[in-house]
Amino acid sequence: MNTSQYTPVLLRSRPDRDYKKLDTHLAYGGMRAVRRALRMKPEEVVETVKKASLRGRGGAGFPTGMKWSFVPKRHDKPVYVTVNADEGEPGTFKDRYFLENDPFPVLEGTIITSYAVGCHTAYIYIRGEFFKGIRVMEDAIKQLYKRGYLGKNILGSGFSLDIYVQPGAGAYVCGEETGLLESIEGKPGRPRNKPPFPAVVGLFGGPTIINNVETMADVRLIFDLGAEKFLSMGLPKDGGPKIYGISGHVVKPGLYEAPMGTNLKSLIYDYAGGIRNGKQLKAVIPGGLSTPVLKPDEIDISMDFDSVRAAGSMMGSGGIIVMDEDTCLPEVLKRVTAFYHHESCGQCTPCREGTSWMDRIMDKIIAGKGEKGDIDQMLRVAKQIMGKTICALGDAAAMPVIGFLTKYREEFEAYIENGGCSH
Amino acid sequence: MTIAFSEEAEAKIKEYEKRYPTKRGALIPVLKLAQKEFGYISQDVMRLVAERLGLPESAVINTATFYTMLYKEPVGKFHIQVCTNVSCYLNGSDMIVDAVREKLGINMGETTPDGMFSLEGVQCLAACGNAPAMQVNEDYYESLTPEKVVKIIDELKQKGGDQ
Ligand SMILES: Cc1cc2nc3c(=O)[nH]c(=O)nc-3n(C[C@H](O)[C@H](O)[C@H](O)COP(=O)(O)O)c2cc1C
Ligand code: SF4
Ligand code: FES
């Protein structure tokens, strides 16, 4: 397959252009999308995004235009927009790229979104570790204010908007949309019960739209290229391009932009150059750590939200982790259980106790003290978490455990038997 | 001990306060600022922040203790945070951790006796495409090898000694 036919429109960075400067952005079509959107009625903006079949890139793939239309027409509290730049799902590294290298498309998307839903204060919630991304974003916002793209009466349209950078402080669960809202309010980032959904009661009690960084860049693209063009770059129910991050044992790890629905096998072998050192493939996590693992004979699938689900996993964030034949899967699973145990916010018993229990069993197995019943015990614990928690972190912790233990059961049994991996 | 915010910090706090419709909204940005000013979030710092923002101390404690980047204890002048999550593990993060441990003679969660370096294992830093990765204070280091790590530490030592 020829991967060079496609010209990236999202990953447009090149060493000779500093897209962190507004002038550079303007020289290459910058702010055109904002101008166009501000000439439309807010409802038309929403309709355009619906027509483009954009689905949120934060993990769940929820239709963006539909989400926006949940904001009630009448409300007595201000409407807010928050951009989710908390990127913490292991295996995911696409949003950091925008924050550090190309902030304006994200900000254009934020302006357009705010205009569409009647918001005058937006927050970009940036993961605390991203010091550079925070600095670049703050500077980009400053540049926009200076040139009249933010503040009062933007470009004479009568629409006013303030955008603030909100730094996180180290908690994966704040990437969950309601945990994020709690965090902006200055509280511990413990997710809220839903309903009410944030579009109705969100930040400081006002209707709130939460969208991912890449989603915002896509919103800009829709108004830059037109909804039809955007739609044609993906699938009828899942429009646009997608950024896939490929890491692990591949020849060329990195970010790849490709049409939504590009074949997973092709992404690994054609785009990322296949498995390193001529090794065989053992396992693929298709969309960030929480998405169930796929075996080598399961990866000839289209990478879009519906197809990966049909294959028994999820596209999630599009962060693909590739493991070769020498990988010790119990060691990998130990990293998985440690992560969710560490990140559980603790307010639901099944998640708090379950993640801790699974991690303790993995500790025991890795220490060479595993017992025969451990695998079934972990599966029971994982299944007890599923569907019984306030936020999706619980399921996210359980699904990869179930995936690894059922698909690679023999390897885990052998590890317990021998007290380690054979190679 | 009485501590106070610098004039510079005070100006920033005023700016933060304007961003939110509630007093508590400014809490996390102010805690981060306080950490920059005082090194870590001690009891005294929490009290100062509570007083300055007009919040109950319990609210400040509640929030400060939830977030891992708000240090409740001092960390080294250079806080080395090695990613130990899956993509980095697949690319040899264990060897990176070992290299730091050997070089500095400290384990995870420890600080060197001179207070210069501390070591911590952290979760995915969103640098998986250039794994293994680590963060030292505000800076990222990617595509690491044990040799590179030793060199980085030597350079930091130099820098630390110069200040
Ligand atoms: C535990 C947890 C962590 C999450 N982390 C992120 C994140 O870092 N970034 C993100 O955009 N979405 C994250 N999400 C998904 C958000 O809750 C939300 O669905 C998303 O931000 C909506 O944006 P979108 O519609 O543009 O995808 C997370 C969800 C859960 C349950
Ligand atoms: S599922 Fe876990 S992380 Fe989510 S609210 Fe419950 S305890 Fe917290
Ligand atoms: S797993 Fe280490 S940076 Fe993502």
Side-chain angles (χ1 to χ4, degrees), chain B:
Chain B
M1 192 178 75
T2 32
I3 47 170
F5 282 112
S6 66
E7 251 172 62
E8 219 186 345
E10 183 53 42
K12 278 218 170 119
I13 295 174
K14 288 215 174 77
E15 206 184 294
Y16 292 148
E17 285 179 312
K18 280 189 243 154
R19 295 185 180 178
Y20 313 91
T22 63
K23 280 195 266 184
R24 191 162 177 174
L27 180 53
I28 291 173
V30 171
L31 281 168
K32 296 194 90 174
L33 189 67
Q35 178 156 296
K36 257 203 153 150
E37 293 258 293
F38 308 113
Y40 73 104
I41 311 288
S42 64
Q43 298 283 334
D44 286 337
V45 171
M46 290 194 225
R47 218 167 291 133
L48 174 73
V49 170
E51 223 164 81
R52 172 59 187 81
L53 292 178
L55 294 169
E57 227 175 289
S58 61
V60 177
I61 293 170
N62 212 343
T63 294
T65 49
F66 185 80
Y67 295 95
T68 54
M69 286 180 70
L70 299 174
Y71 306 129
K72 271 64 71 179
E73 312 236 327
V75 294
K77 183 166 183 176
F78 298 109
H79 189 44
I80 301 178
Q81 300 154 79
V82 183
C83 172
T84 57
N85 214 296
V86 173
S87 301
C88 286
Y89 162 71
L90 296 173
N91 284 289
S93 62
D94 284 355
M95 291 186 319
I96 303 304
V97 172
D98 285 345
V100 180
R101 276 158 59 177
E102 215 167 281
K103 176 82 182 156
L104 296 174
I106 52 172
N107 276 316
M108 289 282 203
E110 292 178 357
T111 306
T112 52
D114 61 359
M116 189 75 86
F117 292 98
S118 47
L119 171 64
E120 191 189 359
V122 292
Q123 299 302 344
C124 177
L125 290 167
C128 330
N130 296 319
M134 69 178 189
Q135 181 166 30
V136 182
N137 300 352
E138 300 196 356
D139 298 319
Y140 269 60
Y141 297 86
E142 304 180 36
S143 306
L144 295 171
T145 61
E147 297 75 43
K148 263 198 199 172
V149 166
V150 168
K151 225 177 116 215
I152 292 164
I153 293 175
D154 279 332
E155 281 164 16
L156 291 172
K157 241 183 208 160
Q158 189 90 39
K159 223 167 101 188
D162 289 348
Q163 280 170 13

Side-chain angles (χ1 to χ4, degrees), chain A residues 187-320:
Chain A
K187 299 173 195 156
R190 295 201 179 90
R192 299 175 182 171
N193 267 304
K194 289 181 261 191
F197 288 95
V200 182
V201 182
L203 189 61
F204 302 114
T208 303
I209 290 301
I210 299 135
N211 276 126
N212 172 257
V213 165
E214 187 185 348
T215 310
M216 288 291 105
D218 284 336
V219 166
R220 179 240 177 195
L221 215 49
I222 291 170
F223 292 86
D224 198 52
L225 305 174
E228 287 78 22
K229 173 79 177 125
F230 181 89
L231 179 62
S232 76
M233 295 174 84
L235 303 170
K237 280 191 185 162
D238 202 343
K242 175 76 189 99
I243 298 176
Y244 300 100
I246 311 180
S247 65
H249 296 138
V250 287
V251 176
K252 293 180 291 177
L255 295 174
Y256 294 94
E257 178 184 332
M260 179 65 87
T262 300
N263 183 282
L264 175 56
K265 195 170 183 179
S266 169
L267 284 166
I268 295 171
Y269 286 92
D270 300 325
Y271 287 77
I275 313 305
R276 214 185 283 165
N277 303 328
K279 298 274 182 189
Q280 294 297 307
L281 176 65
K282 186 185 229 174
V284 177
I285 296 173
L289 202 63
S290 63
T291 61
V293 63
L294 297 171
K295 296 184 99 165
D297 61 358
E298 295 173 316
I299 62 165
D300 197 358
I301 54 169
S302 162
M303 272 291 271
D304 62 86
F305 289 106
D306 296 334
S307 304
V308 187
R309 193 174 287 269
S313 186
M314 287 185 310
M315 189 176 74
S317 61
I320 301 163

Side-chain angles (χ1 to χ4, degrees), chain A residues 172-173 176 189-192 340 343-353 355 385 388-395:
Chain A
Y172 166 71
V173 74
E176 196 278 340
R190 295 201 179 90
R192 299 175 182 171
Y340 291 105
E343 301 299 339
S344 168
C345 85
Q347 66 176 334
C348 322
T349 311
C351 173
R352 183 185 64 240
E353 299 301 322
T355 53
I385 302 174
K388 294 196 189 66
T389 56
I390 292 175
C391 90
L393 189 144
D395 285 9

